[in-house]
Amino acid sequence: MSSKTKIVVLHLKELIYTAIFAVLGILLILLLIFMFLPDKKEKSAAETMQYTAGVYTSSIQLNDNAIDVEVAVDSSHINSISLVNLDEATAAMYPLMQPALDNLSQQIYEKQSLENISYGDDSQYTSMVLLQAIQAALDKARR
């Protein structure tokens, strides 16, 4: 029985270099992971929009009539949305204006956002015009 003994010669300098490069590699991977993880503070800040409290308006031009969409906000909430300068003749010409606004405003109050708002097929274009006017008024209110 002959045993073949293998002798491994390790140089201490090579072991130290290998350990240093392994540690640097692990640190680089950890640094990349922490750099590209989403920051939770940014997400919560985006969810709670900050407004300057007040009443802001945006105009909609329908033929020769100007209708103002009025949005009242406090520091972090949308409080009310209403139509201003809507006379009876314009309301008769555009009968879907007020019901569409009521539907939109109810959803906006619940979500406190203009994202993922649904509207019916019968008032699609009216709702889109109103949403654009509400967005313009909220842009004025943002800090």
Side-chain angles (χ1 to χ4, degrees):
M1 292 204 205
S2 68
S3 67
K4 295 187 178 182
T5 308
K6 293 185 178 182
I7 298 175
V8 177
V9 177
L10 299 174
H11 296 282
L12 186 58
K13 189 189 279 186
E14 291 176 1
L15 284 175
I16 292 173
Y17 288 154
T18 304
I20 289 173
F21 285 126
V23 169
L24 287 176
I26 291 171
L27 288 176
L28 179 66
I29 290 172
L30 290 174
L31 177 70
L32 289 174
I33 288 172
F34 286 118
M35 274 180 47
F36 293 111
L37 280 178
D39 192 16
K40 293 181 182 178
K41 293 178 185 174
E42 291 176 10
K43 192 175 192 180
S44 65
E47 290 175 1
T48 58
M49 298 301 292
Q50 296 296 320
Y51 302 112
T52 303
V55 178
Y56 299 92
T57 60
S58 177
S59 294
I60 300 172
Q61 190 68 26
L62 299 174
N63 294 334
D64 293 332
N65 301 323
I67 300 171
D68 293 330
V69 176
E70 185 178 81
V71 179
V73 295
D74 60 14
S75 62
S76 62
H77 292 89
I78 301 169
N79 294 330
S80 69
I81 302 170
S82 61
L83 293 175
V84 182
N85 299 335
L86 182 66
D87 59 351
E88 291 180 19
T90 307
M93 286 177 52
Y94 302 101
L96 296 178
M97 188 70 68
Q98 189 62 46
L101 182 69
D102 293 340
N103 180 27
L104 291 175
S105 61
Q106 182 64 30
Q107 292 180 47
I108 292 170
Y109 296 152
E110 291 172 2
K111 297 178 183 179
Q112 290 296 313
S113 171
L114 296 183
E115 295 179 11
N116 300 325
I117 300 293
S118 61
Y119 39 82
D121 291 333
D122 57 340
S123 63
Q124 178 180 3
Y125 299 110
T126 305
S127 297
M128 288 173 52
V129 168
L130 287 171
L131 276 176
Q132 289 173 354
I134 294 169
Q135 181 65 48
L138 287 176
D139 288 343
K140 294 177 186 177
R142 286 213 172 87
R143 291 184 182 181

